[in-house]
Amino acid sequence: MINEGDGGDTIAANLEAEGVVASAEAFTEEVTSRGSTVTFYPGAYQLAKEMSAKAALNALLDPANKLENTFVIQEGLWARDALAAASTATGIPVADLEAAAADPQALGLPAEATSVEGFLFPATYTFPPDVTAQQVVQTLVDRSIQALDEAGVPPEQRWQTVVIASLIEREAGSEEDAYKVSRVIRNRLDPAQFESGLLQFDSTVHYGIGDDSTVETSDAERADASNPYNTYVHPGLPPGPIGNPGDVAIDAALHPADGPWLYFVTVNLETGETVFSATLEEHEAAVEQFNQYLQEHGG
């Protein structure tokens, strides 16, 4: 394995330890002799035992020897899709990964967690070919806990922070908007500012239905009280995260922008421009602006 940030000395020591080369020093000298032509890329490589330093270096620089157990979890991705990506990259059946993720508390998640949703951190991951399902899932969860710790989230606040951050991740169109969406959530959960306590987010409805292929919801979907994630019917936060948030969304959850906003709507699907409003009248004007955009663009 070549990990992110590994230099020639580290790689040389690992090769010697694995019995690929007899001498780490000889490998380092081979690297030095080639100067700036040597660039190492993170990943797992298929090498033989007892290679010469020259042959080992050539093998590491040959893309054909790299084992592609690398995958990316995008910000906001649902856990089911994150595990599917991990399965495709590692060859581990999805069922095995789901089994490894079945006991959230054994993985170190908060007591409230009934699944790993929200705690599979968005990043690029590379695993060796013999990795187990348990190791994959634990690595993703550990990376999430690391991000929360680095953001200054106390353990007792991890659950609520991730739930709010997951909403922000799915609803905000830009980094700047993330902090405003965070404020809208706080304002709507404040009975003095928004009596109903209803967030009214389409993203939560989609999560409860299990379909994220559309950005809109129907009247029937918004009226369906059997969907526990339907924030048009059920006040307060949804019962759990609705995706896996990244660093910006986590930070936004902790540090909402200052503002009186209770509503927001994207008015330009090309630029992502979003209008935040403090009153229903302002919001309805913004919605009309969006409808006009749709008319002009054949929506």
Side-chain angles (χ1 to χ4, degrees), residues 100-230:
D103 186 348
Q105 284 68 48
L107 293 164
L109 297 192
E112 300 93 333
T114 58
S115 76
V116 293
E117 190 69 81
F119 293 89
L120 304 178
F121 192 75
T124 300
Y125 296 91
T126 299
F127 290 100
D130 59 349
V131 69
T132 66
Q134 183 70 32
Q135 289 168 336
V136 170
V137 174
Q138 190 69 64
T139 297
L140 273 53
V141 168
D142 288 349
R143 181 64 184 82
S144 181
I145 299 301
Q146 176 190 337
L148 292 167
D149 288 345
E150 290 176 351
V153 181
E156 66 274 13
Q157 293 180 22
R158 286 173 181 166
W159 178 250
Q160 179 169 303
T161 300
V162 168
V163 173
I164 293 174
S166 74
L167 299 176
I168 295 168
E169 193 70 77
R170 298 292 296 199
E171 290 285 338
S174 68
E175 183 171 331
E176 180 184 359
D177 286 350
Y179 295 86
K180 293 181 178 180
V181 170
S182 182
R183 174 52 62 190
V184 171
I185 293 170
R186 301 299 176 116
N187 288 349
R188 282 198 167 220
L189 296 179
D190 178 3
Q193 297 187 65
F194 202 72
E195 190 174 350
S196 74
L198 295 171
L199 292 177
Q200 300 175 310
F201 285 175
D202 288 347
S203 58
T204 64
V205 177
H206 293 149
Y207 187 82
I209 296 171
D211 178 12
D212 62 351
S213 62
T214 178
V215 297
E216 297 175 337
T217 53
S218 67
D219 290 342
E221 288 169 344
R222 291 192 295 273
D224 182 9
S226 70
N227 179 354
Y229 286 83
N230 183 356

Side-chain angles (χ1 to χ4, degrees), residues 40-65:
F40 294 111
Y41 295 97
Y45 292 81
Q46 184 77 50
L47 301 178
K49 295 279 191 179
E50 299 180 2
M51 301 178 78
S52 68
K54 181 178 180 179
L57 181 54
N58 287 340
L60 286 178
L61 299 179
D62 183 352
N65 293 318

Side-chain angles (χ1 to χ4, degrees), residues 2-22:
I2 297 180
N3 297 305
E4 191 77 46
D6 281 356
D9 290 344
T10 300
I11 295 168
N14 290 339
L15 290 172
E16 181 179 325
E18 294 287 340
V20 175
V21 297

